[in-house]
Amino acid sequence: MKLNAKTVLVPALILVCICIVVSALLGVTNNLTKDKIAEVQAKNAEMARGVVLPDAEAFEEVTAEENVYYVGKAGDSVVGYVFTTAGKGYGGDVEVMTGISTDGNITGISILTQNETPGLGGNCTKESFQEQYKQGAQTIAVVKNQEAGEGQIQALTGATITSRAVTDAVNEAVDMYNSVKEG
């Protein structure tokens, strides 16, 4: 088979045109859906705040230094704080929302985003794993192959990196809480 400019350039130009059309369609789709996606994410974050700090009736956003957190209120009284932090997991960042009451207890956590291995690290979204974090606002450690005690959580089987990522995020929230309480 003899190669000439026509047999090489025509298929290449067709592929370039297809790529341009597909890229334009993706750009249009992104522009059409970005507002709806942001709206859904905001609604999900509001729902998650209610889950991790169930005693709160309303939340007030506070920006302090480089951190944004929420103050949960019931009527006029503050019932706790909600912090969103992230830890480095096996599949990337694991974003965690943590609720901490004014008396210093972790009232709940919610995994907002994660790309961990399904069936292993992905199990960090299970309630049984997240319930372990409901304890005093102190530094939490990850243990494996032993029973978890006070200030410890049992690592997910086969997903110690994910367990540490979630724990690092919760510990960062505890540090933020301690800074808020001191300031």
Side-chain angles (χ1 to χ4, degrees), residues 43-129:
K43 184 183 261 185
N44 288 343
E46 183 68 30
M47 286 178 21
R49 283 190 285 277
V51 169
V52 301
L53 194 61
D55 292 341
E57 298 167 355
F59 295 93
E60 179 182 311
E61 184 176 313
V62 177
T63 303
E65 299 170 12
E66 295 179 11
N67 299 318
V68 175
Y69 63 92
Y70 290 84
V71 176
K73 294 184 175 183
D76 289 335
S77 62
V78 174
V79 295
Y81 305 90
V82 176
F83 304 94
T84 301
T85 53
K88 187 73 174 154
Y90 184 76
D93 284 345
V94 178
E95 191 176 26
V96 180
M97 184 177 285
T98 306
I100 303 176
S101 65
T102 53
D103 60 1
N105 290 315
I106 298 173
T107 56
I109 71 164
S110 178
I111 307 299
L112 299 178
T113 60
Q114 57 90 15
N115 291 311
E116 302 302 285
T117 307
L120 294 174
N123 289 336
C124 67
T125 60
K126 290 189 174 182
E127 189 175 338
S128 60
F129 175 71

Side-chain angles (χ1 to χ4, degrees), residues 1 31 33 35 40 64 113 123 127-129 154-155 167 176:
M1 177 176 204
N31 278 338
T33 60
D35 293 337
V40 168
T113 60
N123 289 336
E127 189 175 338
S128 60
F129 175 71
Q154 181 66 46
T167 302
M176 291 171 69

Side-chain angles (χ1 to χ4, degrees), residues 9-37:
L9 290 178
V10 171
L13 287 174
I14 290 172
L15 286 174
V16 167
C17 290
I18 291 171
C19 288
I20 289 170
V21 169
V22 169
S23 296
L25 289 173
L26 285 172
V28 168
T29 302
N30 184 50
N31 278 338
L32 292 174
T33 60
K34 70 180 176 184
D35 293 337
K36 183 67 174 172
I37 291 170

